[in-house]
Amino acid sequence: MTLSRTAKESIKTAIALVIAYAIALAMDWDKPYWAGFTVAFTSLSTYGQSLNKAAMRMAGTGLAIVVAFILIALFPQERWLFIVFLSAWLGFCTYMMGNPERGYFWNVAGFVCVVICISAGPDAANAFDIAVLRAQETGLGVLVYSVVASLLWPVRSGPGFDAAVRQLLAAQLGLFEGCRGLRRGEADAAQIRELTAQLRQAQAHFIQMLDAAEADTFEVWEQASQWRAFRQHATALTTSLEHWRDSVLGLQDVDIHRLCPGINEVGAALAQRFRDIQGILDGRLPTTEPEQIELILDQAAAREVGAFQLAELAAAGARWREFETLTRAIVTDLAAIKGAPELARGEVFAGMQAAPFVIDQDRLVSAGRAMMILWGAYLAWIYVPDLPGGVTVVSMAAPFGMIMVGTPQLRVAQLFWPAFISTLWAGLIYIFILPRLSTFFELGLLMLVTTFAIGYFYAAPQKALGKAFGIAMFLVVAQISNDQVYSFMVVANTALMLPIVFSILLIAAYIPYSPDPDKHVLRLLARYFRSSEYLFASIGTGADPRRSRLEAARLAWHRQEVATLPRKLGTWVRLVNPELLPADQPGALAEVVQTLEGLTYRIQEILNESGGEYPPAFVESLQADVRGWRNDMRKTFDRLITAPGAVDPERFRTGLDAAADHMESQVQATLERPDRAGLSDEQGAAFFRLLAAYRGVAEAMGNYARVAAGIDWARWREERFA
């Protein structure tokens, strides 16, 4: 009989858990379920992923122990100062969980610190014993599962990583070809949205598999620095392709074949480079450095078109140079990895510098909610007489709270029912089966069968929550130890604790605002337009040295808001209940997100180019038009803050065309001056990119107004009971 992959992984988890319990009981360690938790929560689909998660759990536990000792030493008799600083640490860890690469490390560092501090009580010696025990059992779980996973059906991350690289490169080629098809009328916006979503998913999967492969695949670990360079370039290429997508949309009214006669050949050459990159993975190594693919403009044809068409072409050309440079860098990255290090490293894309640190509002709210949950549980423990579970309520509230606030899209009921059902199931085993067992062989067989069943039936990724709660609650309720005592109150107290903990979670979920997806989408839209309005008010101020640090921080804050909110909106719009809203809205909402992404790119271009030095003649000829247009856009953003569908698309388009025609005539008149107003080639390129960004913002706003006008936003503001 051939076992399935799911059965093999479930057997490995079950065997490792039984062995961990056997060692912990043989050493007469208290709370052996801590070792069981480590086995259950670090068992992933590949050996490398499990090792990576186990390492983060061990490192997080070590940091939690150090912080717990510091807090206990500083506040041995000050319970209020103690909980203030403990909650502050939990909030800090919750905020840091927003980092997708080290989120689990900070998750463990937060709730383990709470468990140690709360379980220790007023006795500092007890705190030391608990901390040492936690470290021992976490290390035991890591060691046991690592050995079992390496000996029993080991699944290395190497093949999966190679597939992830190929999938990423194929998704990048797919979006590039899709953009070419969009320009030729062979693709539509819905297909481009799907290709973009596939590329983002492939990018995230590649990053996850790279971390895993570095842990269990020697070839990847040996070339970790080269793979990290490839990751940087591939991530920048993904962003550049998304920018190129919006540049292609802006070229719909441009006769690109007349202005760039070789556009088809150039596009085919770059598509072939994508295929050559995929060929490097198959061993077809390049022998020479990749040649630069240039997009040549027909100067004679360019003199016969309008300024805005030239501006759009200049912006598209800048995007072209970005990902052309990045594809050359990726060729040399992979060539070096596959055995051709003599090729020179490609030119590094200038946009890869690390962004400055800026506080994220959503992560800050999550941190505040986690602190509120801990305070609620702590106050209930102190002031509620005979609280079921006692101090365990606080220890349970911390991990549950961090899970909930770290994934705000997760409803409290989605956490409660798996936990409650798991508790009832574990209670039946505890009451009717465990008392009949007399040897560890019988106990181990029960644990083996139970863990296998939970792991097998909850093997799907979307059921991971049920698997985690099922194993965890079974171990908590069973309370297996060398001196086993059975009491119905163990099950009763655990079952009664859950409504208390989840009541606190439910209250926190509605503070400071409702978690309903439709309401949250409205809030995110309001934040987006508020930040856009602020950024438009700042355009033209440049890098003024007289600007205060507070003003600079506010500008960085709003730039981050505009850059990140479309992605957050993309997560929330998928959760809007279609039964409460018109059936055609899910597609419209996805299009709203895409139009805002395009608007974001154009705003960023304006901010990047507006600080340049341009000849006075150009500035004077367009100053009044640009100022009036910018004020109109600010008023538009201001209306959209409170009413996302407030802009009439037809009136906006009419006003846009009139303003564009006047600005274009002004630019054309200035360009026709004999001295071209002292405009150098470099200044001209920058000026046209700025002009394209202004026009692009207006076009993106027109697209948003068209899509938003078809949504009944008034219904979204109605109060309803889910």
Side-chain angles (χ1 to χ4, degrees):
M1 181 179 64
T2 303
L3 294 176
S4 65
R5 173 76 178 275
T6 299
K8 291 178 180 179
E9 293 301 320
S10 301
I11 290 173
K12 285 196 294 187
T13 302
I15 290 176
L17 188 140
V18 172
I19 294 175
Y21 258 84
I23 296 175
L25 293 176
M27 300 295 292
D28 199 22
W29 288 348
D30 194 17
K31 297 180 176 28
Y33 57 81
W34 282 348
F37 285 171
T38 302
V39 171
F41 294 135
T42 58
S43 59
L44 298 175
S45 57
T46 68
Y47 184 51
Q49 288 176 308
S50 298
L51 284 181
N52 189 46
K53 192 171 184 180
M56 285 193 286
R57 187 176 183 91
M58 197 69 206
T61 299
L63 179 60
I65 290 172
V66 172
V67 175
F69 283 168
I70 292 174
L71 293 178
I72 292 173
L74 291 176
F75 312 107
Q77 302 296 330
E78 299 289 341
R79 65 180 182 181
W80 297 117
L81 284 176
F82 173 77
I83 192 61
V84 165
F85 282 90
L86 179 60
S87 62
W89 171 251
L90 185 71
F92 173 75
C93 291
T94 303
Y95 182 90
M96 298 301 295
M97 278 175 57
N99 179 356
E101 296 185 20
R102 297 291 179 264
Y104 188 66
F105 165 80
W106 290 107
N107 174 241
V108 174
F111 78 78
V112 170
C113 182
V114 174
V115 170
I116 294 173
C117 289
I118 297 300
S119 301
D123 189 352
N126 190 32
F128 179 80
D129 293 338
I130 290 176
V132 170
L133 181 64
R134 184 82 190 197
Q136 286 177 330
E137 305 221 28
T138 300
L140 173 63
V142 169
L143 177 62
V144 169
Y145 185 79
S146 300
V147 173
V148 171
S150 64
L151 298 177
L152 194 61
W153 302 303
V155 179
R156 303 289 177 178
S157 302
F161 173 67
D162 183 70
V165 176
R166 295 175 185 273
Q167 182 183 9
L168 173 61
L169 295 174
Q172 290 175 335
L173 174 60
L175 181 57
F176 176 71
E177 292 284 30
C179 290
R180 293 182 68 200
L182 181 65
R183 181 176 54 81
R184 297 192 297 262
E186 299 171 358
D188 56 25
Q191 292 173 318
I192 297 301
R193 284 199 303 271
E194 180 64 26
L195 291 171
T196 303
Q198 292 175 2
L199 176 54
R200 290 173 179 173
Q201 184 178 6
Q203 183 77 41
H205 181 60
F206 162 73
I207 293 174
Q208 182 185 31
M209 292 304 299
L210 175 58
D211 292 335
E214 286 182 357
D216 71 352
T217 305
F218 176 75
E219 294 80 5
V220 178
W221 173 82
E222 188 179 32
Q223 298 174 320
S225 60
Q226 292 96 322
W227 278 116
R228 293 287 168 175
F230 169 81
R231 169 183 167 175
Q232 285 185 315
H233 287 121
T235 301
L237 179 59
T238 296
T239 302
S240 186
L241 279 169
E242 293 179 356
H243 283 245
W244 169 249
R245 174 199 65 192
D246 291 283
S247 296
V248 170
L249 292 173
L251 291 172
Q252 295 300 306
D253 298 329
V254 178
D255 188 355
I256 189 68
H257 293 282
R258 179 169 172 244
L259 293 171
C260 300
I263 183 67
N264 288 335
E265 292 75 12
V266 170
L270 194 59
Q272 183 59 45
R273 177 178 290 175
F274 276 104
R275 298 186 184 94
D276 292 340
I277 291 173
Q278 294 173 328
I280 295 175
L281 298 176
D282 297 323
R284 298 192 296 272
L285 300 181
T287 56
T288 60
E289 297 179 17
E291 296 182 0
Q292 183 174 354
I293 302 174
E294 296 185 4
L295 188 64
I296 300 176
L297 178 67
D298 187 330
Q299 299 295 335
R303 286 191 290 269
E304 300 176 4
V305 300
F308 277 114
Q309 289 186 328
L310 281 178
E312 288 291 350
L313 192 61
R319 296 303 174 202
W320 175 275
R321 287 188 291 274
E322 279 183 8
F323 66 77
E324 196 280 332
T325 299
L326 286 166
T327 54
R328 282 190 286 118
I330 288 176
V331 168
T332 54
D333 288 336
L334 288 180
I337 290 171
K338 295 299 180 179
E342 64 275 7
L343 292 185
R345 173 74 60 188
E347 180 183 350
V348 178
F349 177 46
M352 291 171 54
Q353 289 84 0
F357 173 76
V358 181
I359 294 292
D360 185 279
Q361 178 176 330
D362 295 296
R363 290 167 63 180
L364 198 63
V365 170
S366 296
R369 280 177 169 166
M371 297 169 65
M372 186 187 309
I373 290 168
L374 182 63
W375 270 94
Y378 188 76
L379 293 175
W381 171 44
I382 291 177
Y383 291 110
V384 177
D386 300 323
L387 182 71
V391 70
T392 309
V393 170
V394 185
S395 300
M396 184 179 291
F400 277 103
M402 293 184 79
I403 292 173
M404 189 202 76
V405 302
T407 313
Q409 299 86 4
L410 194 65
R411 308 284 290 190
V412 175
Q414 293 176 275
L415 287 174
F416 175 77
W417 289 113
F420 188 72
I421 293 172
S422 300
T423 301
L424 292 181
W425 171 250
L428 293 175
I429 295 176
Y430 177 84
I431 294 171
F432 295 106
I433 300 179
L434 279 179
R436 299 178 180 273
L437 307 181
S438 57
T439 65
F440 183 78
F441 176 79
E442 296 172 336
L443 174 64
L445 185 61
L446 172 66
M447 296 175 63
L448 187 72
V449 172
T450 303
T451 305
F452 171 81
I454 295 173
Y456 187 84
F457 290 108
Y458 289 92
Q462 61 269 26
K463 296 181 179 179
L465 197 62
K467 173 186 174 181
F469 282 144
I471 297 177
M473 298 312 298
F474 167 69
L475 299 179
V476 169
V477 173
Q479 295 287 316
I480 296 171
S481 64
N482 284 325
D483 300 321
Q484 191 77 11
V485 177
Y486 299 100
S487 172
F488 174 76
M489 294 306 298
V490 172
V491 179
N493 279 332
T494 304
L496 290 173
M497 274 193 300
L498 291 179
I500 297 172
V501 171
F502 280 92
S503 295
I504 298 172
L505 296 181
L506 186 61
I507 294 172
Y510 282 86
I511 299 175
Y513 37 68
S514 169
D516 292 337
D518 48 339
K519 300 295 190 295
H520 203 79
V521 167
L522 290 175
R523 281 190 296 273
L524 292 180
L525 285 172
R527 283 170 50 189
Y528 181 87
F529 292 122
R530 186 178 296 110
S531 292
S532 299
E533 194 276 335
Y534 180 88
L535 291 179
F536 266 73
S538 70
I539 291 175
T541 59
D544 189 349
R546 296 170 296 179
R547 175 182 292 162
S548 68
R549 292 185 178 181
L550 178 59
E551 291 173 335
R554 289 183 63 192
L555 180 61
W557 168 286
H558 289 290
R559 290 194 69 160
Q560 177 179 268
E561 287 279 274
V562 169
T564 58
L565 283 173
R567 290 285 184 95
K568 296 176 182 179
L569 274 166
T571 301
W572 281 97
V573 296
R574 293 194 294 267
L575 302 176
V576 174
N577 188 353
E579 296 180 359
L580 301 176
L581 301 168
D584 61 339
Q585 283 195 2
L589 292 177
E591 195 170 354
V592 163
V593 173
Q594 182 172 325
T595 58
L596 291 182
E597 288 176 348
L599 180 59
T600 294
Y601 296 144
R602 297 299 192 172
I603 292 175
Q604 290 173 337
E605 288 177 347
I606 289 179
L607 294 173
N608 293 335
E609 301 291 347
S610 61
E613 294 291 336
Y614 303 110
F618 276 89
V619 176
E620 293 171 2
S621 64
L622 293 177
Q623 189 173 26
D625 291 286
V626 170
R627 184 184 298 112
W629 176 84
R630 190 166 62 230
N631 290 334
D632 289 341
M633 291 299 299
R634 289 183 60 189
K635 293 176 182 177
T636 300
F637 286 134
D638 190 60
R639 292 200 306 272
L640 292 174
I641 292 173
T642 55
V647 178
D648 184 337
E650 296 300 328
R651 293 182 59 186
F652 187 86
R653 173 61 60 183
T654 301
L656 168 64
D657 292 340
D661 291 342
H662 188 265
M663 289 180 66
E664 186 168 12
S665 63
Q666 293 290 96
V667 173
Q668 202 67 36
T670 307
L671 287 174
E672 290 174 356
R673 292 175 54 174
D675 59 353
R676 289 178 57 85
L679 188 69
S680 66
D681 291 340
E682 183 177 349
Q683 288 177 327
F687 175 76
F688 279 118
R689 288 197 301 269
L690 178 62
L691 195 62
Y694 275 111
R695 177 61 181 262
V697 166
E699 291 284 352
M701 274 302 307
N703 293 333
Y704 169 81
R706 173 182 54 80
V707 178
I711 299 176
D712 186 5
W713 297 103
R715 293 189 59 187
W716 290 51
R717 299 188 182 280
E718 296 175 355
E719 296 297 332
R720 60 177 67 93
F721 295 98

